[in-house]
Amino acid sequence: MSILVVGSVALDSVKTPFGKVDSVLGGSGTYFSTAASFFTDVRLVAVVGEDFPAEHLDFLRSRNIDLSGVVAAPGKTFRWEGEYGYDLNEAHTLDTQLNVFGSFQPDIPDNYRDAKVVFLANIDPELQLQVLEQVAHPELVACDTMNFWISGKRDALLKTLKRVDTLLINEAEARQLAEEANLVKAAQKIISWGPKRLVVKRGEYGSLLFSEHSTFAAPAYPLESVFDPTGAGDTFAGGFLGFLAATGNLSERSIRQAIIFGSVMASFTVENFSLERLRQLEYIEIEERFRRFKLLTEFAGLDN
Ligand code: AMP
């Protein structure tokens, strides 16, 4: 199955303790689509401005991503500027310029409206809802968001969540959204608002999957070189949903495997700035890291 995604396509300026880049390719929709494209067909809905370099669109096309839902509008592209200290788990937003996203009204192309798998990447929750309303009968809807929208558009976000199966957010966002310090209680509260599952991303500490009746914990892949965590969350979602859409299997076993594919994709993204590592990535490396992940967490029970 293919995936329909709405999200930001951006020009990012990022500073980490290991270097700095200016106006490079970024955006939640970009990172998600690129990661998911290793597993299945992706149809992207987004808007870019007149200043958006054509070579970035060529790159997305080269990944076989369908761009018929990407509109070029008068004005400037969405821009995000962020900084990380030595604690790479926390991004500090220095500036967000919505630009063309401020007035974007997504109009889903006819050939997208039958999408069965939908990803609402981090973007204004009102846009997320507008996209969802144009999709006929989605079978799996997953969603991401961030502090910017949790505090700025809470009501719209809660409305979107009612129609979401799986919410993927980071630890601080889960606490902020639920207004609850304890993560287990926060997860239960969020699940009571609509989503069947909550995936909590914890940066270098891995991730947790909560559903009504089970909890699953996955580590993060121990990496020697982490340069830039930007996009880790979106590529996690791309690996997670890409794998589920490719297999069409939503069993608990498959969802746990998808969490590991998400972790694998995030682990590659952080090895370089922007999408540089993903540009070089081969599918065989994804499989190899998936296998190493299994070894990482394998241990004997008490009775064998
Ligand atoms: P993450 O995976 O959470 O590190 O996402 C990083 C990407 O999110 C960056 O490439 C930004 O362009 C994008 N981004 C940052 N803030 C926002 C926002 N408020 N809305 C949509 N996208 C954003």
Side-chain angles (χ1 to χ4, degrees), residues 83-246:
E83 192 177 359
Y84 300 83
Y86 279 101
D87 178 359
L88 292 168
N89 292 321
E90 204 190 343
H92 303 281
T93 294
L94 302 176
D95 192 23
T96 303
Q97 292 174 19
L98 292 180
N99 295 331
V100 287
F101 263 107
S103 53
F104 181 50
Q105 299 285 324
D107 182 18
I108 307 298
D110 284 346
N111 63 323
Y112 284 17
R113 290 178 185 241
D114 61 349
K116 296 290 172 239
V117 182
V118 178
F119 186 62
L120 309 170
N122 175 29
I123 194 71
D124 186 335
E126 285 175 19
L127 294 183
Q128 292 179 321
L129 201 58
Q130 280 177 32
V131 166
L132 213 46
E133 273 162 3
Q134 295 175 58
V135 179
H137 302 290
E139 286 168 14
L140 176 61
V141 178
C143 175
D144 186 8
T145 191
M146 73 183 291
N147 50 10
F148 189 82
W149 305 114
I150 297 172
S151 53
K153 295 248 176 137
R154 188 178 175 83
D155 290 347
L157 178 61
L158 293 181
K159 222 166 141 189
T160 302
L161 287 186
K162 281 196 179 34
R163 301 179 52 181
V164 163
D165 299 292
T166 306
L167 176 66
L168 300 103
I169 47 180
N170 71 34
E171 194 174 349
E173 290 156 357
R175 293 199 169 101
Q176 186 191 356
L177 176 62
E179 295 171 328
E180 167 62 61
N182 179 286
L183 208 52
V184 178
K185 286 188 187 153
Q188 285 161 350
K189 199 162 170 186
I190 292 169
I191 286 174
S192 77
W193 293 338
K196 284 203 244 350
R197 282 173 221 104
L198 173 71
V199 178
V200 179
K201 297 164 289 177
R202 305 179 63 231
E204 65 183 310
Y205 307 113
S207 59
L208 290 164
L209 165 70
F210 294 96
S211 54
E212 209 188 335
H213 301 295
S214 70
T215 305
F216 173 64
Y221 191 76
L223 286 172
E224 232 175 273
S225 49
V226 177
F227 277 99
D228 174 14
T230 310
D234 308 307
T235 46
F236 181 105
F240 174 79
L241 216 58
F243 174 75
L244 290 178

Side-chain angles (χ1 to χ4, degrees), residues 24-44:
V24 293
L25 176 61
S28 57
T30 310
Y31 278 107
F32 175 89
S33 305
T34 305
S37 71
F38 284 89
F39 300 87
T40 193
D41 295 335
V42 181
R43 301 152 165 187
L44 176 61

Side-chain angles (χ1 to χ4, degrees), residues 229-268:
T230 310
D234 308 307
T235 46
F236 181 105
F240 174 79
L241 216 58
F243 174 75
L244 290 178
T247 60
N249 180 345
L250 291 182
S251 65
E252 178 73 20
R253 178 188 158 92
S254 171
I255 287 169
R256 290 182 179 203
Q257 287 175 317
I259 292 279
I260 304 301
F261 274 109
S263 312
V264 166
M265 296 312 291
S267 76
F268 284 118

